[in-house]
Amino acid sequence: MATLSTKDPETPPFHALSVDDALAAEHVEALTGLSAAEASSRRARSGPNRLVESRKEPWWRAFLRQYADPMQIVLLCAGIGSLYPLKQFGTGILLLVLTLFNAVLGLRQEGKAAAAVSALQKMMIVKARVRRDGQLTELAAEDLVPGDVVQVEAGDLVPADGRLVRTASLEVDESALTGESVPVAKDADTVAGADAVLGDRVDMVYMNTTVTRGTAELVVTATGMATEVGHISGMLQAEQGAETPLTRQLSRLTNQILVVAGAALLLSIALNLARGNAFNVVFLAAIAFAVSAIPTGLPAVVTTILSLGTQLLARANAIVKRLRSTETLGSTSAVNSDKTGTLTLNQMTAVELAIPGRRYVVTGSGYHTDGDIRHAAGQPDVPLEPFLLPMALAGDAVVNDGQLIGDPTEGALVVLAEKGRLDVASTRQRYPRVAEVPFDAAYKLMATFHRMTDESGNDVVRCFVKGAPDQLLARAASVITPDTAPTQLDDDLRARYMAENERLAEQGLRVMATARKDFDPATFDPQADLLGRLTGLTLLALVGIVDPPRPQAKAAIATAKAAGIRVRMITGDHAVTAAAISQQLGIDGRAISGAEFAAMSDEQLTREIDDIGVIARVTPEHKVRLVEILQRKRHIVAMTGDGVNDAPALKRADIGIAMGITGTEVSKEAAAMILTDDDFATIVKAVEIGRALYDNLKRYIFFQMGALIGFIATFLGASILNIATGVPFLPLQTLWVNFTTQAFQAIGLGYGKPEPDIMRRPPRRADEPLLSTRTLLWLAVVGLVLGVVTLAVIAWSERAYGTGVARTMGLTTFSILNLALSFTVRSDVRSMFSLDTFEDHRFLVTSGMSVIAIILATELGLLQRVLHTVSLNLTQWLVCLVAGVSVIVVTELRKMVLRHRAATTGALAQ
């Protein structure tokens, strides 16, 4: 439920109202916002600011959908066939009950997957900066109500429909709502005409559109389903879950197996009928064969494992938005990481202040205002207020009791102003902003304009500027001295300014510069091209800001290096600063500037990129180009980003990674993965989880394919050789193996402990097929071993003991072969007798369950009656056991050859 607003329905629409009239219609003051009590009252009337979820599929339709699976269809047909014409009512009823069990299990799994998605969505809550009770605070966008006064800036998603109150160079991407392909310039001037179409309402912004440039303040006019996007939400279709490349590959494979199994089934029926076997016998054999040969939902199981992998990643502070990204993580070979907040703590602290002729040390850390600005003895005191005013006024950050709302660098400057005995809140009230040039990566500065008096008592509009030192120096004409007298800039002063900048940067500090310029109030136009007028600046100060490396970042980089993953640092800082930080972190390679990067040709970059570890002063275009160069060298590239301008690079990368704390909503939308702790070590941990997940999937699929081929070989061989009248296992015996030994071992392999050297191996190739031709051939050999050994035991025991015992011994042998096979597929080269095998407790538990199931199938009276098995004596058990472990001999011999080949190759390489 939502409401449009609190205004009188007889008044014109909001876009036709002036700012004052719009605020009056919502009964709110722009400077104070709503009170908490009033907001609570409006929330009770309007409901949460969210769109109504689409209707869920009825349970009965979801239940029926479970019967579209080939396995369900086969079981259903087998159950009906057992009832009639075979008239085996116990078998038929049990098969039908199994279809119900599978359907319920499928529904439960879908419910778990939906719950996991819902949990992940709750972790990606959109935040909004709102003025309540005169204080700027941060709330979940869902808590907004009509009348709230909200601030937005470049990179934000607009959290609700609103009438603009104040703007500065505001541009909004409304393509999702209007189809307009380019961002729309917005301002607070009233639109003429109440009937203006949506795209022409430039004084309004709308929910779920994106701020691409500038800043603004708006009063919320509609929330939830009353917004423009809410009006059309009923027509929007939910995004369908896309298959991953892995599940597509498995779908093709299972379809191929289905064809092979179908052909083998027809051949088996033809052979049995040609021998003159009774129809009931042939039909029974066909049912048993069909139940065993149908792949039991390989893609579905893989999707389930991948889905659970996303939950593991979420617990490790990495939210993966798409299943295919979970799969891709394990093959990541290059990580391009932002410095600030990812490799560093993002707790900016100003530690040095430099003004012409003076240097100051700043004490204290973080966003607490405890600390001092100290100078060396023997120097006269200099009033610092003129140098600190830009730090208080040229920014939007708010610091309160050590908590920051806003940009971390701005927060460091605000804290510095407070340490210099300026009360930032009252200073901003005394000198309100009349215009601004918001920060943009293109010109790397921000400017605000304020009415005040100069040192001579004249009224001026004073512009305060903060930004990159080189950018401000390029626009400067003078520098202020300690006695507050401007001095014309000459080559000597420019050189000294840059030398001081280099000195600070060489310490690994991020350097921010400040400047000012006065304008005549009579001729000042807030709507003019203010950026173009930022020339002839007077330089004020340089501030050295430290952002210490995260303690765990260095170890994480070392882990990545051991795993064959190349880490590069991408930063907006100067190359000298970046190089100092990269050395502390252990990042290999030389540091170059963005200008040097841009000057290189693609061919030169392709040759030299392996020697480059740091790229400084980068633009968004540089990031995209870096991704493309690395992808051209067949790397799987992960790229971090937090700004609106990072979105193209995040989309272009194989794994785009956004910051959950400091990242803009635009970057989160473009990314495939979101770090909820903004920590580089989380990326490395996510790669490790991705590798383990892929390894477990590979083990499970190898086991499942080998066992499946073994089933087909057993049934087809029995038909060709007329062993046990062409029916080596009865239908329920086949299902027993499927739902006990194979199911237990699949769980143990799919969720097993990763190999200890998982982060000491090079990344796998992205185009590496899960089942290569060589692997498929090997699995075919393993499947034939399972089939031949099982048939040999059945043929021998049929002659010695009769068909009943033969099928029991065949069932036992095949189950033991499956159990042994699961142990051998845990590693391609490592022996199953290594200690690692016995340190995987979950796998050992599932293996113990399989052993119990194998014994109970032959020794428990109830199961003997259901499965038509008999008790085995010691000799028969020994025959089954020896035959069952035969697959270990074959696989261990192959592993021995592979280890010898790897050792020989390594020796030759040395």
Side-chain angles (χ1 to χ4, degrees):
M1 182 178 71
T3 184
L4 272 170
S5 70
T6 57
K7 77 181 182 78
D8 188 332
E10 298 295 323
T11 60
F14 276 103
H15 66 266
L17 295 178
S18 68
V19 170
D20 290 339
D21 288 344
L23 291 167
E26 289 292 359
H27 308 292
V28 66
E29 295 288 337
L31 293 178
T32 58
L34 297 174
S35 67
E38 177 62 18
S40 178
S41 173
R42 295 190 185 193
R43 170 68 186 262
R45 296 197 304 270
S46 68
N49 176 35
R50 62 168 179 249
L51 301 180
V52 176
E53 296 179 357
S54 57
R55 290 181 61 188
K56 291 184 178 179
E57 182 183 25
W59 69 267
W60 58 267
R61 186 179 297 167
F63 180 80
L64 290 178
R65 183 166 40 78
Q66 306 302 317
Y67 282 85
D69 182 80
M71 183 65 180
Q72 286 286 81
I73 294 171
V74 169
L75 287 175
L76 192 62
C77 293
I80 295 171
S82 296
L83 292 174
Y84 183 82
L86 294 184
K87 296 184 180 180
Q88 294 188 2
F89 298 110
T91 299
I93 291 170
L94 191 55
L95 287 171
L96 293 177
V97 169
L98 276 174
T99 68
L100 292 173
F101 174 77
N102 280 344
V104 171
L105 201 63
L107 282 175
R108 186 167 177 269
Q109 187 55 53
E110 286 181 7
K112 280 187 175 182
V117 171
S118 177
L120 294 182
Q121 287 175 341
K122 288 178 182 177
M123 296 177 72
M124 297 188 288
I125 295 173
V126 175
K127 297 287 188 179
R129 292 182 298 281
V130 189
R131 190 169 288 122
R132 294 262 179 98
D133 292 315
Q135 298 292 320
L136 189 65
T137 186
E138 199 170 55
L139 300 175
E142 186 177 295
D143 294 331
L144 293 181
V145 297
D148 266 326
V149 178
V150 177
Q151 289 185 359
V152 293
E153 62 184 15
D156 288 346
L157 279 182
V158 178
D161 287 4
R163 172 66 166 89
L164 293 169
V165 175
R166 176 186 61 79
T167 66
S169 304
L170 183 68
E171 292 185 2
V172 179
D173 179 1
E174 295 184 333
S175 58
L177 191 61
T178 66
E180 182 73 31
S181 59
V182 295
V184 179
K186 299 276 188 175
D187 60 55
D189 293 342
T190 306
V191 172
D195 58 350
V197 297
L198 192 67
D200 293 337
R201 299 175 192 171
V202 294
D203 59 349
M204 298 286 294
V205 288
Y206 298 103
M207 183 179 186
N208 284 358
T209 57
T210 303
V211 180
T212 59
R213 188 177 182 221
T215 62
E217 196 165 84
L218 61 101
V219 58
V220 174
T221 59
T223 59
M225 294 303 290
T227 61
E228 291 295 335
V229 72
H231 292 159
I232 63 172
S233 65
M235 297 181 287
L236 300 179
Q237 296 297 317
E239 181 182 351
Q240 298 298 313
E243 284 189 320
T244 72
L246 182 60
T247 53
R248 282 198 298 271
Q249 186 183 152
L250 287 172
S251 294
R252 287 195 302 271
L253 185 63
T254 50
N255 287 335
Q256 291 165 0
I257 291 173
L258 205 57
V259 171
V260 172
L265 175 60
L266 292 175
L267 178 60
S268 170
I269 292 173
L271 287 171
N272 287 330
L273 286 174
R275 288 197 183 95
N277 290 343
F279 174 77
N280 282 5
V281 174
V282 174
F283 197 74
L284 180 66
I287 288 174
F289 196 162
V291 169
S292 70
I294 296 297
T296 54
L298 269 180
V301 174
V302 169
T303 300
T304 301
I305 293 175
L306 288 174
S307 299
L308 291 173
T310 64
Q311 296 176 48
L312 285 175
L313 288 163
R315 285 198 287 271
N317 299 317
I319 300 175
V320 176
K321 294 161 61 179
R322 292 181 284 274
L323 284 182
R324 64 172 62 89
S325 301
T326 310
E327 178 187 328
T328 308
L329 268 172
S331 56
T332 302
S333 58
V335 178
N336 302 328
S337 176
D338 277 341
K339 174 182 74 69
T340 304
T342 307
L343 292 169
T344 58
L345 288 169
N346 201 25
Q347 293 183 355
M348 299 290 197
T349 305
V351 293
E352 282 203 46
L353 171 68
I355 63 175
R358 297 285 191 278
R359 290 176 182 166
Y360 297 87
V361 174
V362 185
T363 63
S365 63
Y367 300 119
H368 291 278
T369 56
D370 302 329
D372 299 299
I373 302 175
R374 301 176 180 178
H375 62 85
Q379 292 181 331
D381 284 338
V382 173
L384 291 178
E385 183 175 311
F387 301 95
L388 296 177
L389 273 175
M391 302 169 198
L393 297 176
D396 297 304
V398 176
V399 175
N400 189 14
D401 294 330
Q403 300 298 313
L404 169 71
I405 299 176
D407 180 75
T409 302
E410 285 188 0
L413 298 179
V414 167
V415 170
L416 177 58
E418 292 273 1
K419 289 176 181 177
R421 303 297 180 262
L422 279 187
D423 185 294
V424 172
S426 59
T427 301
R428 288 175 176 176
Q429 289 178 356
R430 182 174 181 181
Y431 302 115
R433 190 179 301 177
V434 297
E436 70 176 284
V437 176
F439 178 83
D440 194 290
Y443 45 79
K444 293 185 173 66
L445 59 82
M446 175 183 180
T448 58
F449 299 79
H450 311 264
R451 296 186 185 276
M452 57 178 58
T453 56
D454 65 11
E455 287 71 21
S456 303
N458 300 316
D459 289 338
V460 295
V461 173
R462 179 161 286 178
C463 167
F464 290 112
V465 188
K466 74 171 192 302
D470 55 340
Q471 297 294 320
L472 268 60
L473 181 62
R475 295 171 178 268
S478 60
V479 61
I480 200 167
T481 57
D483 59 3
T484 69
T487 300
Q488 197 70 20
L489 267 178
D490 55 22
D491 290 342
D492 178 57
L493 285 174
R494 288 179 185 274
R496 285 164 57 189
Y497 183 88
M498 290 309 297
E500 187 66 13
N501 178 41
E502 292 289 329
R503 183 188 71 81
L504 293 170
E506 285 172 355
Q507 299 175 49
L509 303 180
R510 182 175 188 180
V511 186
M512 291 293 291
T514 58
R516 77 185 191 195
K517 181 181 179 179
D518 290 343
F519 294 88
D520 183 354
T523 59
F524 179 74
D525 179 9
Q527 303 303 320
D529 176 19
L530 298 178
L531 179 63
R533 301 188 67 182
L534 294 183
T535 57
L537 300 179
T538 299
L539 297 173
L540 294 175
L542 292 171
V543 182
I545 300 172
V546 67
D547 184 16
R550 289 181 179 269
Q552 61 271 41
K554 186 173 183 178
I557 289 170
T559 301
K561 192 185 301 183
I565 301 169
R566 179 65 186 275
V567 178
R568 290 176 179 82
M569 188 169 78
I570 314 298
T571 178
D573 289 339
H574 284 281
V576 176
T577 307
I581 295 291
S582 69
Q583 287 176 5
Q584 295 178 41
L585 292 170
I587 294 176
D588 296 331
R590 71 181 195 274
I592 65 170
S593 67
E596 293 174 277
F597 181 82
M600 292 182 180
S601 66
D602 284 355
E603 292 73 19
Q604 184 182 3
L605 260 180
T606 303
R607 288 194 309 271
E608 298 185 22
I609 194 64
D610 290 341
D611 299 324
I612 297 171
V614 179
I615 306 175
R617 310 299 284 168
V618 294
T619 66
E621 294 77 17
H622 295 156
K623 291 185 175 184
V624 173
R625 188 181 179 211
L626 175 60
V627 170
E628 291 173 343
I629 290 292
L630 291 171
Q631 287 175 334
R632 200 173 300 162
K633 297 196 72 172
R634 304 182 70 79
H635 282 288
I636 299 300
V637 183
M639 168 69 80
T640 72
D642 55 10
V644 62
N645 289 323
D646 292 328
L650 293 177
K651 284 187 174 180
R652 186 71 183 85
D654 299 284
I655 300 285
I657 303 171
M659 303 297 110
I661 299 173
T662 60
T664 60
E665 297 305 324
V666 175
S667 65
K668 294 176 188 177
E669 188 71 23
M673 185 168 83
I674 300 171
L675 304 185
T676 59
D677 58 359
D678 290 12
D679 190 349
F680 177 83
T682 301
I683 301 174
V684 178
K685 181 64 178 175
V687 171
E688 183 177 353
I689 292 173
R691 287 190 176 189
L693 200 65
Y694 188 86
D695 273 11
N696 285 346
L697 280 172
K698 190 167 70 170
R699 294 170 179 172
Y700 160 72
I701 292 165
F702 283 10
F703 167 69
Q704 196 76 1
M705 295 304 298
L708 196 60
I709 295 170
F711 259 133
I712 294 172
T714 301
F715 272 91
L716 186 59
S719 298
I720 293 171
L721 301 174
N722 198 25
I723 297 173
T725 64
V727 189
F729 310 129
L730 297 174
L732 290 184
Q733 292 174 346
T734 301
L735 286 172
W736 178 258
V737 178
N738 275 333
F739 284 93
T740 57
T741 304
Q742 290 186 352
F744 296 153
Q745 298 314 105
I747 293 169
L749 292 169
Y751 305 105
K753 182 180 177 182
E755 294 193 58
D757 65 344
I758 196 166
M759 290 300 281
R760 295 195 296 273
R761 313 192 302 230
R764 64 179 173 84
R765 296 195 332 270
D767 58 353
E768 176 184 302
L770 180 69
L771 293 168
S772 63
T773 303
R774 179 177 295 179
T775 301
L776 276 173
L777 287 173
W778 167 244
L779 290 175
V781 170
V782 170
L784 285 173
V785 169
L786 265 64
V788 169
V789 170
T790 303
L791 287 173
V793 170
I794 294 174
W796 172 79
S797 55
E798 186 179 22
R799 288 193 299 271
Y801 306 109
T803 304
V805 174
R807 285 187 178 139
T808 303
M809 291 184 67
L811 174 68
T812 305
T813 301
F814 192 77
S815 298
I816 295 172
L817 283 165
N818 274 257
L819 179 61
L821 176 62
S822 69
F823 275 82
T824 65
V825 298
R826 283 179 47 81
S827 174
D828 288 337
V829 294
R830 187 178 287 111
S831 170
M832 65 163 280
F833 300 107
S834 65
L835 290 177
D836 297 326
T837 302
F838 302 98
E839 289 175 355
D840 189 343
H841 300 298
R842 178 174 294 176
F843 180 73
L844 292 179
V845 168
T846 58
S847 299
M849 292 168 65
S850 293
V851 170
I852 292 170
I854 293 168
I855 295 171
L856 290 179
T858 60
E859 303 304 324
L860 187 66
L862 175 63
L863 288 177
Q864 286 177 347
R865 290 190 294 275
V866 172
L867 300 176
H868 300 286
T869 56
V870 296
S871 295
L872 300 179
N873 59 37
L874 182 60
T875 302
Q876 292 164 345
W877 269 109
L878 286 174
V879 169
C880 294
L881 190 62
V882 172
V885 299
S886 59
V887 71
I888 295 176
V889 177
V890 178
T891 54
E892 286 295 317
L893 285 173
R894 176 177 176 266
K895 289 182 182 183
M896 195 181 301
V897 171
L898 290 177
R899 286 197 298 269
H900 177 73
R901 188 180 298 167
T904 304
T905 304
L908 290 174
Q910 294 175 358

